[in-house]
Structures are given as C-alpha cells and as structure tokens.
Amino acid sequence: SYRNLLGEVKSSKFTSDMSPTSLEDIRIVDKEIAKRVGDKLLGQDGAIGSIAQVGEFTLQKIGNELRWVAPLVHRGLFQYFNNTQGTNGYISVSTTNQDDVKFVQEVNGKKIWLKYQPEAYFFNDLERHVYLNGWATKGLTDYSFEVDDEGYPHWVITVYEKKIGWNGNNAIGVLVVDPQTGDIKYYDIKDAPEWIDCIQPDDFVKEQVDDWGAYIHGLQITSERDKLKAANNPQMIYGSDGKAYWYI
C-alpha cells in the first residue's frame, strides 16, 4: 500500500527524455539572492519597509517567464494594528537576471492589499480564516504564495488525506484563497487552474519515492536486496511542456 502511493512509475531514457535547457533560461538567481534583492528593494521605501517585510519566496512560472515571487507580510502585531487592510503588494525577481526585480502594487490598475496572510492576526490569519470557513476537518499543508498569469496574487494550499490508517499522506486537491477578499475555492487536482505550479508538496513526494524504493519486495526485515532511496530532496524543474516537475 505504501509503495503504490506514488502511482504508476514509467521507465525512460534520461538522455532522450530530458531535453537540454537553453543557455538563456538557466537559473542563476537562487532563493537566497532573490531574498537579498527583494529586501534591498523594499528598504528603498522607508514608509513601507517600516511596517512590512518580504515573506517566503516561491519559484513559479508566470506566463513564459520563470520568477521568484514573495508577498509583503506584516512585521509584527503593532504593525498589523496600524495596517489591518493588509500589506500592499509583492516582490517579483527574475531567475535569470537579479537586476530584473519588481515591486508589484497594482494589477490592471487596481491596488493590491494582502489582508489574509500567515503573518496576520485574529480573523485575518490565513490558517484560521480557512479553518473557520469549512476546512477545519481536512488535511491542509504547503501554504504557498502564487500569482496567476495576469499577475494577481493568491494563496495556494494543498488538501490531502491519509490513505493508510493514520499514515500515507496523499494530496487530493488544492484550495485557492484570494488574499484581498478571503474568497476560498476548492479544485480537484485534475481541475486545478493551469497557472498553479505546485500541488504536490516536496516532502510528500520524497516520502512516497522512498517508500516506492524501500518496499520493492514488500517488508524486508534483514535484506536490503534491490532497495532504492532518493539521493536528494526534490528539486523543481520545468519541462518543455511548460509544466512544473519534481526531480529527484
């Protein structure tokens, strides 16, 4: 049962199935550099920098461009009380050029306010907001900040269930939360909008890959025959079809 959680595993030839990447598309800006560039850009605006800070960066494809994106989040409780309508915008950094950094505060002429977020308090706290609106009994994880191809921000949350008793975490769908209005929409995996890059959490994938390799002959107590294990944590890559994949 644990081994089958990964689903169908197909054999393929690495040299023919993995297309080489164009030199223009190689990622030279990692998460740490994006964080440093984002903090520097926000620091240039003292008024905003005193009440907000750059949150967690997420790698994603926006249109045909690969970028690091992070929301502005509250610095603390007192800053939250002075700014309950939310933080105003997000930082976007190109993965190929660290000088290509944007502070997005408007989309289609409308101001962005991130009212619901993990660093908010009381009923604006993202996790509490989701729980109090019908999702308290569901497995939720991987609260990620993503923007659609129009540049509009969303919170994307993986919905999962236990497939083997109290174990066997398996993603079944995704919640999309509007950070400005709090509107919550649920999608099965097959129906999720195409702009969503990641529904399967990396730790779920790592665990399922390890189980697939460990239980190749069922439960082996004394033998390691034919066992496999992941050599690294999952790394996100993008295929020639434009979709995101975990590579291990």
Side-chain angles (χ1 to χ4, degrees):
S1 296
Y2 282 104
R3 188 168 197 263
N4 291 335
L5 278 178
L6 186 62
E8 183 183 3
V9 177
K10 299 178 181 179
S11 298
S12 64
K13 190 173 182 180
F14 186 87
T15 53
S16 61
D17 291 346
M18 295 296 292
S19 301
T21 301
S22 166
L23 292 178
E24 296 179 353
D25 297 328
I26 291 178
R27 295 194 333 231
I28 60 174
V29 178
D30 61 17
K31 193 173 187 178
E32 183 177 345
I33 295 175
K35 172 69 172 173
R36 186 166 64 247
V37 170
D39 287 340
K40 180 179 179 181
L41 179 63
L42 185 62
Q44 294 173 0
D45 190 326
I48 297 178
S50 63
I51 60 175
Q53 61 186 350
V54 181
E56 184 76 12
F57 274 93
T58 303
L59 179 66
Q60 55 195 271
K61 196 165 190 176
I62 305 174
N64 294 318
E65 196 175 4
L66 202 58
R67 303 186 70 88
W68 292 104
V69 178
L72 293 191
V73 296
H74 298 292
R75 280 191 173 275
L77 179 61
F78 294 109
Q79 289 83 357
Y80 164 77
F81 278 129
N82 291 323
N83 196 27
T84 54
Q85 65 180 333
T87 50
N88 58 328
Y90 61 87
I91 301 291
S92 175
V93 183
S94 170
T95 61
T96 58
N97 179 9
Q98 70 178 51
D99 294 327
D100 181 1
V101 53
K102 302 175 183 177
F103 182 12
V104 182
Q105 297 179 280
E106 293 185 359
V107 175
N108 296 326
K110 295 183 178 180
K111 286 276 190 180
I112 296 174
W113 296 103
L114 308 183
K115 180 178 180 180
Y116 298 93
Q117 55 174 273
E119 282 75 11
Y121 295 85
F122 308 108
F123 294 108
N124 291 348
D125 175 83
L126 178 62
E127 187 172 345
R128 180 178 289 113
H129 171 71
V130 172
Y131 279 10
L132 293 178
N133 282 273
W135 294 93
T137 61
K138 300 295 184 180
L140 303 176
T141 188
D142 208 27
Y143 291 64
S144 302
F145 182 81
E146 290 198 39
V147 300
D148 59 28
D149 290 338
E150 299 297 322
Y152 192 86
H154 307 267
W155 291 107
V156 177
I157 307 167
T158 297
V159 181
Y160 70 95
E161 62 184 11
K162 305 283 188 179
K163 298 292 288 186
I164 308 169
W166 295 101
N167 299 303
N169 294 332
N170 192 57
I172 60 172
V174 64
L175 294 182
V176 177
V177 183
D178 188 316
Q180 303 190 88
T181 66
D183 181 55
I184 303 172
K185 294 181 180 179
Y186 171 77
Y187 299 94
D188 290 327
I189 291 176
K190 60 182 177 59
D191 298 324
E194 291 188 3
W195 57 263
I196 297 178
D197 286 0
C198 183
I199 295 177
Q200 300 289 340
D202 57 348
D203 57 334
F204 282 19
V205 173
K206 173 70 161 54
E207 183 177 20
Q208 291 180 7
V209 167
D210 281 339
D211 287 344
W212 173 82
Y215 302 127
I216 191 168
H217 298 303
L219 182 61
Q220 302 179 74
I221 304 299
T222 59
S223 172
E224 296 292 319
R225 182 170 61 93
D226 298 330
K227 284 187 177 182
L228 301 169
K229 66 181 297 185
N232 59 281
N233 291 323
Q235 305 294 316
M236 184 172 286
I237 61 173
Y238 285 80
S240 57
D241 57 3
K243 294 182 179 179
Y245 293 87
W246 287 119
Y247 169 77
I248 302 179

